[in-house]
Amino acid sequence: MCGIVGYVGARECTEVLLNSLSKLEYRGYDSAGIAVFEDGEIRTRKSKGKIQDLVSKMETEGRITGHCGIGHTRWATHGEPSDVNSHPHGNANVTIVHNGIIENYKKIKEFLTRKGYVFESETDTETVAKLLDCFYEGNPMQTIQRVLDEIEGSYALGIMFRDYPGRIYAVRKDSPLIVAVGENEAFIASDVPAILKYTKNYYLLEQDEIAVLDNGRVEFFDDHGAPKKKQMLVADFDEEAAKKGNYPHYMIKEIHDQPVSIKTTVTPRIVNGMPNLEECGMTYERLKNYKNIFVVACGTAMHAGLVGKYVIEKLARVSVTVDVASEFRYRDPILSKDDLVILVSQSGETADTLEAMRLAKRNGTDTLAIVNVKGSSIARDADMVIYTHAGPEISVASTKAYMVQLSVFYLIAFSLAYANGRITEEECRHLVEQLTQVPDQIEEILKTPENCQYVASQLVNADNLLYIGRGLDYALSMEGSLKLKEISYIHSESYAAGELKHGTISLVTEEMPVIAVATQRDLFEKTISNVKEVKSRGAYVVLVTHEGQEVDKEAADCIITVPSIDDLLMPMTAVVPLQLIAYYTSVLRGNDVDKPRNLAKSVTVE
Ligand code: G6P
């Protein structure tokens, strides 16, 4: 989704803006632009395409330079990706960058058109820029407050007024924005990696708070214009952590980060060999009182919830319902005060997940967030938070965030099963001990990627693909399938292996490779029967199972094994080859692995 940056200080600001924007590329975008105070005027350059296209355009049109400016990467919502729809928007008097959606922009546009304003772009953002211009009578703060009273929807805004060179105003509602401070310099940004090259100190802007960055100083005001004191935060990772290092792509780096991410997430939550979530407010006593659990999330985070469902239900015998957030919100879910709603989100900013949480809170239901980004909206507003400590995840295709979300679900499941007496202390300790072995097992898998590279070479020309599995393997195969389709652009579906014969098997031919996941011992033979069904219809079959499993060599064209562990924990290791297969297939197809087309890392619109 859109990325916002802004800079005020002694540095050459175009350089800073371009660098900071490049650190937000992972969010997904289709155009870029900057506006800079140059010789007392606001000058703008913008271009469809990548930041490099903007740089090339500046070579032709002339580079703008100064010490105060705002920048933007746009992910098109209202209007196609084009130069004219790109941000910044505005005129010589006021110029803005915006992330979010102004829901009542048509009404505002009509109002402004009656006043004689002419619109160039199809964007909702241009209406805000023109409304600011329309209301402006010399006092920026009052103008912004008046505009905030008029606009509906979500926004993070960076605003510059021609009359106030060297000053940026920033405000947000339901879209993320941070304000960072260095020595005599200040920044705004959609996310922390954008500022790490310059400083680690930042403030989280709250709903409808207004920040004023003036010649390197920062002041905060509430929506009535009263000054506010805020607590400064310090980023807990540095620029290196948000870099690729020697890896060719962020995705493969993040796959390799997984063992460390699991350790950092799990270790502090194990006390004397037992799971302990008390620092997050989740005591055994509290956990065992919930009647039903709902897991609500989007994309990969939802898939982590599906694994969580199997594990919690199996171990703790508490009913778990998993919903995609955009559906949960509109299906009028039956929630009670005895239930728990778990929101899972890497970014903590996903609009649908955030709204689902608000719905749960309105119903008086407890909310627990499993979130990776510190201080994000979901983390701040949930009743309880368990942070996953994956560090920054830059690749759009989520890998290490999924892995640590799984880790947290295991901790919840073990705690709950122990709390309600479904497992003994000894059994609980054993499961915890198994969980702590996972990082080493993943290290082992990563030492020999060759089999996954080989599978990728077999899949590279496929148009369609099926993933099949039963039980936990089915939940896992959904994630495998999503990973492949989002970065390789090969159409792929995940199917419950036993359901295949009720329709979908009609698609199976030699043109339809099948990846079968069979790690659950009690279901192995049943899944193998389904494997035989597809193999006998000509499909190229890859089987993922655990070491030590007796397999008829003829059953599949390629067998990938991962180290054996308790069946319940197998998704944590078995997902790794699925991630690698997706990664290598994308590489072989020459795709932009980390920034797949049309996708955004953080989806802050509904
Ligand atoms: C986007 C990303 C996915 C991610 C989903 C949920 O669609 O491309 O990788 O799983 O959002 O994001 P969240 O930040 O809430 O986990």
Side-chain angles (χ1 to χ4, degrees), residues 298-301 344-348 350 396 398 600-601 603:
C298 302
T300 292
V344 193
S345 176
Q346 188 285 127
S347 63
T350 304
V396 166
S398 179
K601 180 75 184 155
V603 180

Side-chain angles (χ1 to χ4, degrees), residues 549-578:
Q549 176 69 54
E550 268 187 41
V551 192
D552 170 6
K553 293 270 174 301
E554 305 298 303
D557 297 279
C558 180
I559 299 172
I560 296 178
T561 56
V562 292
S564 188
I565 198 162
D566 191 287
D567 274 14
L568 276 182
L569 288 155
M570 283 306 304
M572 292 186 84
T573 49
V575 75
V576 179
L578 303 186

Side-chain angles (χ1 to χ4, degrees), residues 150-182:
E150 296 299 327
I151 59 177
E152 289 164 17
S154 58
Y155 47 82
L157 293 165
I159 309 167
M160 298 196 304
F161 291 87
R162 180 200 195 188
D163 293 347
Y164 294 87
R167 191 182 285 188
I168 296 173
Y169 289 83
V171 63
R172 74 162 204 114
K173 182 179 155 250
D174 291 342
S175 284
L177 199 64
I178 61 160
V179 177
V181 285

